[in-house]
Amino acid sequence: MSGFRLFDLNPEQFRAATHPDGPMLILAGAGTGKTRVLTARIAWLVSQGVEPSSILAVTFTNKAAKEMRERVAATVNSEQAKQITLSTFHALCVRLLRKHAHLLGYKENFSIFDEGDQMGLVKKIAARIHDKQDPIDPNLARNIISKAKNLGMSEPETTDTALGSLFSKYQNELRTLNAMDFDDLLLQARTLLRDHPEARDEWRSRYRHIMVDEFQDTNKLQLELVSLLAGEERPNICVVGDDDQSIYGWRGAESANLLEFERHFPDPEVIKLEQNYRSTDIILSVANRLIRNNSKRRGKNLWSDRKEGDPVRILLASDDKAEAEFIADEIQAAGPQSAKARPWTDFAILYRMNAQSRQFEEVLRERRIPYRVVGGKSFFDRREVKDVVAYLGALLNPDDDNALLRVLANPPRGIGSATLQLATEAGAKNRKSLLAILNDPEHLAVSSSRTRIAIQRFTEDWGTYRIQLQTPGTDISGLLRGLLEECGYYEDLKKSCKTEAESDGRQENVHELLNALAGYCQRHPREGARGFLDGLTLEQEREEEKAEEREGVTLITLHAAKGLEFPDVWLVGAENGVLPHERSKAEGTVEEERRLLYVGITRARHRLTITHCSTRRKFGSVSSCIPSPFLLELQGEGVETGSVEEILSQPLSEEESEDAFARMKAMLRGE
């Protein structure tokens, strides 16, 4: 074990790494070195004479598996490292199924359908069994099939409905094609181990030591898989997890798998990792205070040797614009061009919903501060935002064929792709816009009566909106809002979403864009909507690099931030209805929302600021905000409360004055 020294581990980490045999639960709090412990355990097992090929470590993502593989390669020799199985759940299932597919009626060379393949097959079957009385939405059907499979259902409960019939035909078609979709990989591997003793015995004898990372994120199927692989007698299974960081209940994860570990694997060794190597003790004490309010948890208390540090700030801003401007100013005052000269990558802004990034992207752009959106697309790259930009572009410019094509597709207007292709070709030939061709009596005359009616309905409605747009004093944002509602855009958008949460988020993104448009038109009445659209287009042309690769301030959702850390964190929008999310009260998931805030707090290494607003623009109007009830739970030693306005009213220090002067000179030079 030349690459790893056990004496570097703390006492609890050492116990976990050198646990001899039997089930073990490692409760690894945030920042307590769980990957280090898993790596040390693998190295220790090999040093004790355990066959490397009998060790299995399962993670959730390819990134985590790759990191584990690299660490293990540094602790054991290369030949031993190659024999150890380090994989995701899906990759493990493929390994099992390739070997024993024939037992399930598949050939070993079965294909794996990705999301695009699945959608293509679902659409084909939906078109085949189309029923006017009971039409099938392919997106909804695919999502329901996926959810059913993750609950362990391989076949529909009934084929009496159109959806049940589609599910049955979809599965039959996959079998005919010798294919499985991603959900089938878990489902069929479970069936293989459960129903075929010869396969089960082979894999159990192969893997004598099983390790599972992020156990709190496992679902019912994954737990069954692990249990079947481990065996009924006292197995050598080691799981690592933290129930306080269980934040994926909405996608099927069951924290009960960790909370009730003893029920599945009796009399385990339970080891708590509580020494945190990431954050200051002040930040951890605030996190501990918050999470103790959850009833369904295993008690643990994070602590750090770093006793000194800045207090956690809880600040009130007058509105979401003031919140964003204040944070951008603080980042600028500490960034590369300031006396502190810190890299932009030191700073992160964490939020509950994707739509919240828009305000921050806008103010960071204004200040020419580079940023990257992690765990999601930049606000301006999202499908629904591009849709609405296309609506605005097509209204402002009747010759913008690309924008109009996007409008006609979202939602569909009953004008087929063949019709639109012919119209586009006719436009190119006659040097006319698509809209002009659609209005041309000659073109209408060769269309079917059904298509002709659809075209006439659209062009009449569109013409009415364009007249309204050109009327002086028109509220363009309000006009666009009404147009989207009347044409059924939101209903169509909802169909493309897997969950209600995704649908809400996408609708909120549309409202955020309309708010931005309204704000721009108020500030720049002469440029109006055209100026707003030009600004967006120019910014998009400048952004050629991929967001993930760009060096800059990190904008990230709380869900995507799990596993990451940053020196300075601003956790924004701590308001009732945002965090905790409004839906959580009705769904009984407030404790998961509290865990989400806990995850956000424990991302901060040195400094943490939590902000909330008095008012926030939401769904097109200004709403009063109530502070998150979680903020009361944070109060105590190490916490300072105040307002953005109070901080801004304080006189600048000499260093801050010099920084401000330097930035002003840089701006004048055009840097």
Side-chain angles (χ1 to χ4, degrees), residues 29-62:
T32 57
K34 69 179 177 67
T35 306
R36 192 169 182 235
V37 170
L38 278 175
T39 308
R41 176 156 183 76
I42 291 170
W44 182 80
L45 286 170
V46 172
S47 76
Q48 298 302 298
V50 171
E51 280 294 324
S53 61
S54 72
I55 298 172
L56 166 66
V58 188
T59 66
F60 269 83
T61 64
N62 288 313

PDB file of all heavy atoms in Angstrom, residues 29-62:
ATOM      1  N   GLY A  29     -20.760  12.112   7.502  1.00  0.00           N
ATOM      2  CA  GLY A  29     -21.265  13.473   7.386  1.00  0.00           C
ATOM      3  C   GLY A  29     -20.571  14.231   6.272  1.00  0.00           C
ATOM      4  O   GLY A  29     -19.541  13.794   5.738  1.00  0.00           O
ATOM      5  N   ALA A  30     -21.117  15.387   5.908  1.00  0.00           N
ATOM      6  CA  ALA A  30     -20.556  16.200   4.827  1.00  0.00           C
ATOM      7  C   ALA A  30     -19.102  16.541   5.118  1.00  0.00           C
ATOM      8  O   ALA A  30     -18.755  16.959   6.227  1.00  0.00           O
ATOM      9  CB  ALA A  30     -21.374  17.480   4.671  1.00  0.00           C
ATOM     10  N   GLY A  31     -18.234  16.332   4.117  1.00  0.00           N
ATOM     11  CA  GLY A  31     -16.835  16.735   4.229  1.00  0.00           C
ATOM     12  C   GLY A  31     -15.996  15.917   5.188  1.00  0.00           C
ATOM     13  O   GLY A  31     -14.948  16.377   5.638  1.00  0.00           O
ATOM     14  N   THR A  32     -16.432  14.696   5.504  1.00  0.00           N
ATOM     15  CA  THR A  32     -15.704  13.887   6.493  1.00  0.00           C
ATOM     16  C   THR A  32     -14.768  12.858   5.865  1.00  0.00           C
ATOM     17  O   THR A  32     -14.220  12.012   6.563  1.00  0.00           O
ATOM     18  CB  THR A  32     -16.685  13.164   7.438  1.00  0.00           C
ATOM     19  OG1 THR A  32     -17.589  12.360   6.663  1.00  0.00           O
ATOM     20  CG2 THR A  32     -17.477  14.162   8.266  1.00  0.00           C
ATOM     21  N   GLY A  33     -14.585  12.896   4.552  1.00  0.00           N
ATOM     22  CA  GLY A  33     -13.596  12.042   3.905  1.00  0.00           C
ATOM     23  C   GLY A  33     -14.069  10.641   3.582  1.00  0.00           C
ATOM     24  O   GLY A  33     -13.299   9.690   3.701  1.00  0.00           O
ATOM     25  N   LYS A  34     -15.309  10.508   3.117  1.00  0.00           N
ATOM     26  CA  LYS A  34     -15.848   9.160   2.856  1.00  0.00           C
ATOM     27  C   LYS A  34     -15.132   8.466   1.699  1.00  0.00           C
ATOM     28  O   LYS A  34     -14.875   7.255   1.768  1.00  0.00           O
ATOM     29  CB  LYS A  34     -17.346   9.215   2.599  1.00  0.00           C
ATOM     30  CG  LYS A  34     -17.767   9.877   1.300  1.00  0.00           C
ATOM     31  CD  LYS A  34     -19.268   9.862   1.135  1.00  0.00           C
ATOM     32  CE  LYS A  34     -19.708  10.583  -0.123  1.00  0.00           C
ATOM     33  NZ  LYS A  34     -19.301   9.908  -1.355  1.00  0.00           N
ATOM     34  N   THR A  35     -14.782   9.202   0.640  1.00  0.00           N
ATOM     35  CA  THR A  35     -14.089   8.575  -0.494  1.00  0.00           C
ATOM     36  C   THR A  35     -12.716   8.073  -0.054  1.00  0.00           C
ATOM     37  O   THR A  35     -12.265   7.001  -0.455  1.00  0.00           O
ATOM     38  CB  THR A  35     -13.950   9.580  -1.661  1.00  0.00           C
ATOM     39  OG1 THR A  35     -15.238  10.108  -1.974  1.00  0.00           O
ATOM     40  CG2 THR A  35     -13.380   8.905  -2.894  1.00  0.00           C
ATOM     41  N   ARG A  36     -12.075   8.847   0.808  1.00  0.00           N
ATOM     42  CA  ARG A  36     -10.769   8.458   1.358  1.00  0.00           C
ATOM     43  C   ARG A  36     -10.880   7.157   2.138  1.00  0.00           C
ATOM     44  O   ARG A  36     -10.039   6.257   2.032  1.00  0.00           O
ATOM     45  CB  ARG A  36     -10.295   9.589   2.269  1.00  0.00           C
ATOM     46  CG  ARG A  36      -8.862   9.497   2.702  1.00  0.00           C
ATOM     47  CD  ARG A  36      -8.481  10.823   3.365  1.00  0.00           C
ATOM     48  NE  ARG A  36      -7.096  10.811   3.761  1.00  0.00           N
ATOM     49  CZ  ARG A  36      -6.671  11.048   4.994  1.00  0.00           C
ATOM     50  NH1 ARG A  36      -7.540  11.288   5.954  1.00  0.00           N
ATOM     51  NH2 ARG A  36      -5.386  11.031   5.272  1.00  0.00           N
ATOM     52  N   VAL A  37     -11.957   7.035   2.917  1.00  0.00           N
ATOM     53  CA  VAL A  37     -12.160   5.836   3.738  1.00  0.00           C
ATOM     54  C   VAL A  37     -12.434   4.625   2.854  1.00  0.00           C
ATOM     55  O   VAL A  37     -11.890   3.530   3.087  1.00  0.00           O
ATOM     56  CB  VAL A  37     -13.322   6.054   4.739  1.00  0.00           C
ATOM     57  CG1 VAL A  37     -13.700   4.750   5.420  1.00  0.00           C
ATOM     58  CG2 VAL A  37     -12.922   7.087   5.774  1.00  0.00           C
ATOM     59  N   LEU A  38     -13.300   4.776   1.842  1.00  0.00           N
ATOM     60  CA  LEU A  38     -13.593   3.661   0.939  1.00  0.00           C
ATOM     61  C   LEU A  38     -12.324   3.193   0.223  1.00  0.00           C
ATOM     62  O   LEU A  38     -12.080   1.992   0.073  1.00  0.00           O
ATOM     63  CB  LEU A  38     -14.646   4.072  -0.096  1.00  0.00           C
ATOM     64  CG  LEU A  38     -16.106   4.024   0.356  1.00  0.00           C
ATOM     65  CD1 LEU A  38     -17.015   4.573  -0.731  1.00  0.00           C
ATOM     66  CD2 LEU A  38     -16.533   2.601   0.703  1.00  0.00           C
ATOM     67  N   THR A  39     -11.525   4.161  -0.234  1.00  0.00           N
ATOM     68  CA  THR A  39     -10.265   3.817  -0.904  1.00  0.00           C
ATOM     69  C   THR A  39      -9.340   3.070   0.049  1.00  0.00           C
ATOM     70  O   THR A  39      -8.732   2.052  -0.314  1.00  0.00           O
ATOM     71  CB  THR A  39      -9.572   5.096  -1.409  1.00  0.00           C
ATOM     72  OG1 THR A  39     -10.487   5.859  -2.189  1.00  0.00           O
ATOM     73  CG2 THR A  39      -8.357   4.762  -2.249  1.00  0.00           C
ATOM     74  N   ALA A  40      -9.230   3.574   1.291  1.00  0.00           N
ATOM     75  CA  ALA A  40      -8.367   2.932   2.292  1.00  0.00           C
ATOM     76  C   ALA A  40      -8.862   1.527   2.608  1.00  0.00           C
ATOM     77  O   ALA A  40      -8.058   0.595   2.799  1.00  0.00           O
ATOM     78  CB  ALA A  40      -8.327   3.780   3.560  1.00  0.00           C
ATOM     79  N   ARG A  41     -10.179   1.374   2.657  1.00  0.00           N
ATOM     80  CA  ARG A  41     -10.736   0.043   2.960  1.00  0.00           C
ATOM     81  C   ARG A  41     -10.384  -0.957   1.857  1.00  0.00           C
ATOM     82  O   ARG A  41     -10.006  -2.100   2.132  1.00  0.00           O
ATOM     83  CB  ARG A  41     -12.252   0.129   3.153  1.00  0.00           C
ATOM     84  CG  ARG A  41     -12.893  -1.239   3.380  1.00  0.00           C
ATOM     85  CD  ARG A  41     -14.201  -1.192   4.119  1.00  0.00           C
ATOM     86  NE  ARG A  41     -14.705  -2.552   4.358  1.00  0.00           N
ATOM     87  CZ  ARG A  41     -14.233  -3.381   5.279  1.00  0.00           C
ATOM     88  NH1 ARG A  41     -13.238  -3.001   6.068  1.00  0.00           N
ATOM     89  NH2 ARG A  41     -14.726  -4.593   5.423  1.00  0.00           N
ATOM     90  N   ILE A  42     -10.535  -0.549   0.608  1.00  0.00           N
ATOM     91  CA  ILE A  42     -10.184  -1.435  -0.502  1.00  0.00           C
ATOM     92  C   ILE A  42      -8.708  -1.821  -0.424  1.00  0.00           C
ATOM     93  O   ILE A  42      -8.340  -2.998  -0.551  1.00  0.00           O
ATOM     94  CB  ILE A  42     -10.510  -0.753  -1.853  1.00  0.00           C
ATOM     95  CG1 ILE A  42     -12.030  -0.636  -2.027  1.00  0.00           C
ATOM     96  CG2 ILE A  42      -9.894  -1.529  -3.018  1.00  0.00           C
ATOM     97  CD1 ILE A  42     -12.463   0.219  -3.200  1.00  0.00           C
ATOM     98  N   ALA A  43      -7.845  -0.825  -0.176  1.00  0.00           N
ATOM     99  CA  ALA A  43      -6.405  -1.093  -0.083  1.00  0.00           C
ATOM    100  C   ALA A  43      -6.093  -2.021   1.088  1.00  0.00           C
ATOM    101  O   ALA A  43      -5.257  -2.931   0.971  1.00  0.00           O
ATOM    102  CB  ALA A  43      -5.650   0.231   0.075  1.00  0.00           C
ATOM    103  N   TRP A  44      -6.772  -1.815   2.205  1.00  0.00           N
ATOM    104  CA  TRP A  44      -6.542  -2.662   3.381  1.00  0.00           C
ATOM    105  C   TRP A  44      -6.972  -4.105   3.111  1.00  0.00           C
ATOM    106  O   TRP A  44      -6.267  -5.054   3.471  1.00  0.00           O
ATOM    107  CB  TRP A  44      -7.297  -2.104   4.586  1.00  0.00           C
ATOM    108  CG  TRP A  44      -7.076  -2.906   5.845  1.00  0.00           C
ATOM    109  CD1 TRP A  44      -5.998  -2.845   6.684  1.00  0.00           C
ATOM    110  CD2 TRP A  44      -7.955  -3.909   6.387  1.00  0.00           C
ATOM    111  NE1 TRP A  44      -6.144  -3.746   7.717  1.00  0.00           N
ATOM    112  CE2 TRP A  44      -7.336  -4.407   7.562  1.00  0.00           C
ATOM    113  CE3 TRP A  44      -9.194  -4.421   6.000  1.00  0.00           C
ATOM    114  CZ2 TRP A  44      -7.918  -5.402   8.348  1.00  0.00           C
ATOM    115  CZ3 TRP A  44      -9.773  -5.414   6.781  1.00  0.00           C
ATOM    116  CH2 TRP A  44      -9.149  -5.896   7.938  1.00  0.00           C
ATOM    117  N   LEU A  45      -8.138  -4.276   2.485  1.00  0.00           N
ATOM    118  CA  LEU A  45      -8.615  -5.629   2.167  1.00  0.00           C
ATOM    119  C   LEU A  45      -7.607  -6.369   1.287  1.00  0.00           C
ATOM    120  O   LEU A  45      -7.298  -7.545   1.522  1.00  0.00           O
ATOM    121  CB  LEU A  45      -9.977  -5.560   1.456  1.00  0.00           C
ATOM    122  CG  LEU A  45     -11.184  -5.204   2.317  1.00  0.00           C
ATOM    123  CD1 LEU A  45     -12.412  -4.938   1.435  1.00  0.00           C
ATOM    124  CD2 LEU A  45     -11.505  -6.298   3.333  1.00  0.00           C
ATOM    125  N   VAL A  46      -7.084  -5.673   0.265  1.00  0.00           N
ATOM    126  CA  VAL A  46      -6.097  -6.296  -0.623  1.00  0.00           C
ATOM    127  C   VAL A  46      -4.848  -6.672   0.168  1.00  0.00           C
ATOM    128  O   VAL A  46      -4.273  -7.761  -0.014  1.00  0.00           O
ATOM    129  CB  VAL A  46      -5.760  -5.362  -1.802  1.00  0.00           C
ATOM    130  CG1 VAL A  46      -4.599  -5.920  -2.627  1.00  0.00           C
ATOM    131  CG2 VAL A  46      -6.983  -5.154  -2.691  1.00  0.00           C
ATOM    132  N   SER A  47      -4.426  -5.780   1.087  1.00  0.00           N
ATOM    133  CA  SER A  47      -3.224  -6.061   1.894  1.00  0.00           C
ATOM    134  C   SER A  47      -3.427  -7.245   2.828  1.00  0.00           C
ATOM    135  O   SER A  47      -2.461  -7.886   3.249  1.00  0.00           O
ATOM    136  CB  SER A  47      -2.838  -4.822   2.710  1.00  0.00           C
ATOM    137  OG  SER A  47      -3.711  -4.654   3.823  1.00  0.00           O
ATOM    138  N   GLN A  48      -4.695  -7.553   3.133  1.00  0.00           N
ATOM    139  CA  GLN A  48      -5.005  -8.687   4.017  1.00  0.00           C
ATOM    140  C   GLN A  48      -5.169  -9.992   3.240  1.00  0.00           C
ATOM    141  O   GLN A  48      -5.546 -11.016   3.808  1.00  0.00           O
ATOM    142  CB  GLN A  48      -6.293  -8.399   4.807  1.00  0.00           C
ATOM    143  CG  GLN A  48      -6.216  -7.190   5.718  1.00  0.00           C
ATOM    144  CD  GLN A  48      -5.104  -7.303   6.746  1.00  0.00           C
ATOM    145  OE1 GLN A  48      -5.109  -8.210   7.584  1.00  0.00           O
ATOM    146  NE2 GLN A  48      -4.134  -6.393   6.682  1.00  0.00           N
ATOM    147  N   GLY A  49      -4.899  -9.958   1.957  1.00  0.00           N
ATOM    148  CA  GLY A  49      -4.967 -11.178   1.159  1.00  0.00           C
ATOM    149  C   GLY A  49      -6.282 -11.415   0.462  1.00  0.00           C
ATOM    150  O   GLY A  49      -6.479 -12.468  -0.160  1.00  0.00           O
ATOM    151  N   VAL A  50      -7.218 -10.456   0.539  1.00  0.00           N
ATOM    152  CA  VAL A  50      -8.491 -10.606  -0.176  1.00  0.00           C
ATOM    153  C   VAL A  50      -8.234 -10.493  -1.676  1.00  0.00           C
ATOM    154  O   VAL A  50      -7.503  -9.607  -2.127  1.00  0.00           O
ATOM    155  CB  VAL A  50      -9.506  -9.523   0.277  1.00  0.00           C
ATOM    156  CG1 VAL A  50     -10.740  -9.521  -0.610  1.00  0.00           C
ATOM    157  CG2 VAL A  50      -9.884  -9.724   1.733  1.00  0.00           C
ATOM    158  N   GLU A  51      -8.813 -11.396  -2.444  1.00  0.00           N
ATOM    159  CA  GLU A  51      -8.654 -11.370  -3.904  1.00  0.00           C
ATOM    160  C   GLU A  51      -9.251 -10.071  -4.458  1.00  0.00           C
ATOM    161  O   GLU A  51     -10.430  -9.792  -4.227  1.00  0.00           O
ATOM    162  CB  GLU A  51      -9.369 -12.562  -4.540  1.00  0.00           C
ATOM    163  CG  GLU A  51      -8.606 -13.858  -4.485  1.00  0.00           C
ATOM    164  CD  GLU A  51      -7.341 -13.812  -5.327  1.00  0.00           C
ATOM    165  OE1 GLU A  51      -7.358 -13.165  -6.406  1.00  0.00           O
ATOM    166  OE2 GLU A  51      -6.329 -14.388  -4.888  1.00  0.00           O
ATOM    167  N   PRO A  52      -8.473  -9.266  -5.185  1.00  0.00           N
ATOM    168  CA  PRO A  52      -9.014  -8.013  -5.742  1.00  0.00           C
ATOM    169  C   PRO A  52     -10.273  -8.234  -6.581  1.00  0.00           C
ATOM    170  O   PRO A  52     -11.185  -7.410  -6.574  1.00  0.00           O
ATOM    171  CB  PRO A  52      -7.864  -7.474  -6.592  1.00  0.00           C
ATOM    172  CG  PRO A  52      -6.636  -8.074  -5.990  1.00  0.00           C
ATOM    173  CD  PRO A  52      -7.047  -9.434  -5.504  1.00  0.00           C
ATOM    174  N   SER A  53     -10.342  -9.378  -7.305  1.00  0.00           N
ATOM    175  CA  SER A  53     -11.492  -9.632  -8.167  1.00  0.00           C
ATOM    176  C   SER A  53     -12.766  -9.904  -7.375  1.00  0.00           C
ATOM    177  O   SER A  53     -13.865  -9.901  -7.948  1.00  0.00           O
ATOM    178  CB  SER A  53     -11.209 -10.815  -9.095  1.00  0.00           C
ATOM    179  OG  SER A  53     -10.961 -11.978  -8.320  1.00  0.00           O
ATOM    180  N   SER A  54     -12.644 -10.120  -6.072  1.00  0.00           N
ATOM    181  CA  SER A  54     -13.829 -10.389  -5.246  1.00  0.00           C
ATOM    182  C   SER A  54     -14.370  -9.119  -4.588  1.00  0.00           C
ATOM    183  O   SER A  54     -15.302  -9.173  -3.799  1.00  0.00           O
ATOM    184  CB  SER A  54     -13.502 -11.429  -4.168  1.00  0.00           C
ATOM    185  OG  SER A  54     -12.665 -10.862  -3.169  1.00  0.00           O
ATOM    186  N   ILE A  55     -13.785  -7.968  -4.935  1.00  0.00           N
ATOM    187  CA  ILE A  55     -14.207  -6.686  -4.348  1.00  0.00           C
ATOM    188  C   ILE A  55     -15.062  -5.930  -5.361  1.00  0.00           C
ATOM    189  O   ILE A  55     -14.675  -5.743  -6.519  1.00  0.00           O
ATOM    190  CB  ILE A  55     -12.989  -5.829  -3.948  1.00  0.00           C
ATOM    191  CG1 ILE A  55     -12.159  -6.553  -2.872  1.00  0.00           C
ATOM    192  CG2 ILE A  55     -13.439  -4.456  -3.439  1.00  0.00           C
ATOM    193  CD1 ILE A  55     -10.838  -5.868  -2.558  1.00  0.00           C
ATOM    194  N   LEU A  56     -16.230  -5.501  -4.923  1.00  0.00           N
ATOM    195  CA  LEU A  56     -17.156  -4.716  -5.750  1.00  0.00           C
ATOM    196  C   LEU A  56     -17.475  -3.413  -5.029  1.00  0.00           C
ATOM    197  O   LEU A  56     -17.898  -3.418  -3.874  1.00  0.00           O
ATOM    198  CB  LEU A  56     -18.456  -5.499  -5.988  1.00  0.00           C
ATOM    199  CG  LEU A  56     -19.654  -4.712  -6.555  1.00  0.00           C
ATOM    200  CD1 LEU A  56     -19.368  -4.231  -7.975  1.00  0.00           C
ATOM    201  CD2 LEU A  56     -20.923  -5.571  -6.523  1.00  0.00           C
ATOM    202  N   ALA A  57     -17.267  -2.278  -5.712  1.00  0.00           N
ATOM    203  CA  ALA A  57     -17.648  -0.968  -5.162  1.00  0.00           C
ATOM    204  C   ALA A  57     -18.593  -0.299  -6.161  1.00  0.00           C
ATOM    205  O   ALA A  57     -18.255  -0.146  -7.339  1.00  0.00           O
ATOM    206  CB  ALA A  57     -16.424  -0.094  -4.922  1.00  0.00           C
ATOM    207  N   VAL A  58     -19.771   0.068  -5.689  1.00  0.00           N
ATOM    208  CA  VAL A  58     -20.800   0.635  -6.565  1.00  0.00           C
ATOM    209  C   VAL A  58     -21.039   2.101  -6.206  1.00  0.00           C
ATOM    210  O   VAL A  58     -21.223   2.442  -5.035  1.00  0.00           O
ATOM    211  CB  VAL A  58     -22.128  -0.147  -6.438  1.00  0.00           C
ATOM    212  CG1 VAL A  58     -23.125   0.329  -7.482  1.00  0.00           C
ATOM    213  CG2 VAL A  58     -21.896  -1.640  -6.594  1.00  0.00           C
ATOM    214  N   THR A  59     -21.046   2.956  -7.224  1.00  0.00           N
ATOM    215  CA  THR A  59     -21.330   4.382  -7.034  1.00  0.00           C
ATOM    216  C   THR A  59     -22.533   4.760  -7.895  1.00  0.00           C
ATOM    217  O   THR A  59     -23.060   3.935  -8.640  1.00  0.00           O
ATOM    218  CB  THR A  59     -20.124   5.239  -7.458  1.00  0.00           C
ATOM    219  OG1 THR A  59     -19.945   5.101  -8.867  1.00  0.00           O
ATOM    220  CG2 THR A  59     -18.856   4.805  -6.759  1.00  0.00           C
ATOM    221  N   PHE A  60     -22.921   6.025  -7.842  1.00  0.00           N
ATOM    222  CA  PHE A  60     -24.103   6.464  -8.600  1.00  0.00           C
ATOM    223  C   PHE A  60     -23.763   7.116  -9.928  1.00  0.00           C
ATOM    224  O   PHE A  60     -24.574   7.109 -10.845  1.00  0.00           O
ATOM    225  CB  PHE A  60     -24.938   7.432  -7.755  1.00  0.00           C
ATOM    226  CG  PHE A  60     -25.978   6.722  -6.949  1.00  0.00           C
ATOM    227  CD1 PHE A  60     -25.643   6.147  -5.738  1.00  0.00           C
ATOM    228  CD2 PHE A  60     -27.267   6.575  -7.411  1.00  0.00           C
ATOM    229  CE1 PHE A  60     -26.585   5.456  -4.995  1.00  0.00           C
ATOM    230  CE2 PHE A  60     -28.217   5.883  -6.685  1.00  0.00           C
ATOM    231  CZ  PHE A  60     -27.875   5.324  -5.473  1.00  0.00           C
ATOM    232  N   THR A  61     -22.588   7.715 -10.029  1.00  0.00           N
ATOM    233  CA  THR A  61     -22.259   8.437 -11.261  1.00  0.00           C
ATOM    234  C   THR A  61     -20.929   7.947 -11.826  1.00  0.00           C
ATOM    235  O   THR A  61     -20.067   7.449 -11.101  1.00  0.00           O
ATOM    236  CB  THR A  61     -22.137   9.953 -11.006  1.00  0.00           C
ATOM    237  OG1 THR A  61     -21.033  10.191 -10.113  1.00  0.00           O
ATOM    238  CG2 THR A  61     -23.415  10.514 -10.395  1.00  0.00           C
ATOM    239  N   ASN A  62     -20.781   8.123 -13.137  1.00  0.00           N
ATOM    240  CA  ASN A  62     -19.517   7.770 -13.778  1.00  0.00           C
ATOM    241  C   ASN A  62     -18.365   8.598 -13.226  1.00  0.00           C
ATOM    242  O   ASN A  62     -17.244   8.116 -13.103  1.00  0.00           O
ATOM    243  CB  ASN A  62     -19.630   7.986 -15.298  1.00  0.00           C
ATOM    244  CG  ASN A  62     -20.513   6.945 -15.950  1.00  0.00           C
ATOM    245  OD1 ASN A  62     -20.378   5.758 -15.687  1.00  0.00           O
ATOM    246  ND2 ASN A  62     -21.425   7.381 -16.797  1.00  0.00           N
TER     247      ASN A  62
END
